[in-house]
Amino acid sequence: AQTVTQSQPEMSVQEAETVTLSCTYDTSESDYYLFWYKQPPSRQMILVIRQEAYKQQNATENRFSVNFQKAAKSFSLKISDSQLGDAAMYFCAYRSEGTGNQFYFGTGTSLTVIP
Amino acid sequence: DGGITQSPKYLFRKEGQNVTLSCEQNLNHDAMYWYRQDPGQGLRLIYYSQIVNDFQKGDIAEGYSVSREKKESFPLTVTSAQKNPTAFYLCASSYLRDRVNQPQHFGDGTRLSIL
């Protein structure tokens, strides 16, 4: 089974500031896909951003961007201009052809936004 | 709009009782999944199904059962053998191998409590 590690159980950021959530993964494959999901207090799982491993360019979605370091097997999420609505649990996930239809999730990082 | 519908939102189980959680999707996804989430924890895979009438055990299948008689439906039964069923249950779906770059879509979850 693939391993996805989120080493920061909790993080906090001041409103309007920038925060980076870390994610590392273990794989021997060269082609795979990475995702960040947000789970607010409502418990809904919302896709934030995705990255294909074959793409060198880091994905961005408005205030959300990733720092994808393939050699280091690192996939961090940067949230710029943090807003109160960004407070949530964030999960990193991995999927590849080799894993078939399984997604592998990290244990999550709980983000608090301080007004 | 396409999506995943889980019902009920809240469910209570008496000792020795089996209960069934419903999950229906109209996204035309082939694969469906059940996850369990305990407070402050990540997602743990219970069962997943890639095709009608076929399913595989995940990491914590003991005390649970599933069926996949229709592509759109993947109900989860929590049996009396599951001694600690109190948790939040998430159903998800995704495309198969030819669209591995696509994310999982999630329902809004069912919160199961023991009486």
Side-chain angles (χ1 to χ4, degrees):
Chain A
Q2 308 299 327
T3 302
V4 178
T5 302
Q6 292 180 251
S7 58
Q8 306 151 317
E10 296 177 350
M11 291 281 285
S12 62
V13 62
Q14 206 77 31
E15 195 175 2
E17 296 296 310
T18 295
V19 64
T20 299
L21 310 183
S22 67
C23 173
T24 59
Y25 53 93
D26 182 27
T27 185
S28 57
E29 298 181 271
S30 59
D31 196 16
Y32 48 87
Y33 305 88
L34 299 162
F35 307 88
W36 277 100
Y37 284 90
K38 169 185 176 180
Q39 189 181 41
S42 65
R43 308 298 293 270
Q44 233 186 342
M45 289 286 283
I46 302 163
L47 178 70
V48 175
I49 199 165
R50 73 179 102 173
Q51 174 80 42
E52 289 91 345
Y54 65 85
K55 288 187 178 178
Q56 293 185 335
Q57 188 171 9
N58 289 325
T60 62
E61 286 288 342
N62 301 313
R63 296 182 297 107
F64 298 88
S65 62
V66 300
N67 183 6
F68 173 51
Q69 302 288 330
K70 192 171 183 179
K73 297 179 185 174
S74 171
F75 180 58
S76 59
L77 175 69
K78 186 170 89 170
I79 306 174
S80 304
D81 185 26
S82 297
Q83 300 175 0
L84 295 177
D86 295 333
M89 196 78 165
Y90 286 82
F91 293 97
C92 175
Y94 169 103
R95 188 190 195 191
S96 73
E97 292 280 350
T99 65
N101 297 305
Q102 285 203 53
F103 288 73
Y104 291 90
F105 287 85
T107 51
T109 296
S110 178
L111 178 67
T112 300
V113 180
I114 304 164
Chain B
D1 287 341
I4 300 177
T5 301
Q6 286 188 244
S7 62
K9 192 166 184 172
Y10 300 96
L11 187 57
F12 298 91
R13 195 192 90 169
K14 295 180 182 178
E15 293 285 347
Q17 187 181 43
N18 292 354
V19 291
T20 297
L21 285 60
S22 170
C23 178
E24 304 275 333
Q25 56 99 359
N26 60 2
L27 298 166
N28 200 31
H29 286 166
D30 291 289
M32 297 187 74
Y33 314 75
W34 275 106
Y35 294 93
R36 170 178 171 143
Q37 189 176 27
D38 292 284
Q41 303 293 312
L43 280 66
R44 291 189 289 170
L45 183 65
I46 305 172
Y47 269 99
Y48 68 103
S49 168
Q50 302 180 39
I51 196 170
V52 172
N53 292 325
D54 186 50
F55 44 83
Q56 290 76 41
K57 292 181 179 180
D59 301 319
I60 55 165
E62 186 175 348
Y64 300 96
S65 67
V66 293
S67 63
R68 186 93 185 271
E69 296 178 3
K70 297 187 302 181
K71 183 177 180 178
E72 300 79 17
S73 178
F74 191 42
L76 173 74
T77 296
V78 184
T79 74
S80 57
Q82 173 50 245
K83 297 307 179 188
N84 184 23
T86 298
F88 187 68
Y89 292 86
L90 279 163
C91 179
S93 68
S94 73
Y95 288 110
L96 279 176
R97 286 184 178 85
D98 58 336
R99 298 177 73 168
V100 176
N101 63 333
Q102 296 298 308
Q104 273 184 326
H105 293 253
F106 288 85
D108 289 342
T110 293
R111 179 172 297 283
L112 175 62
S113 301
I114 242 193
L115 285 177

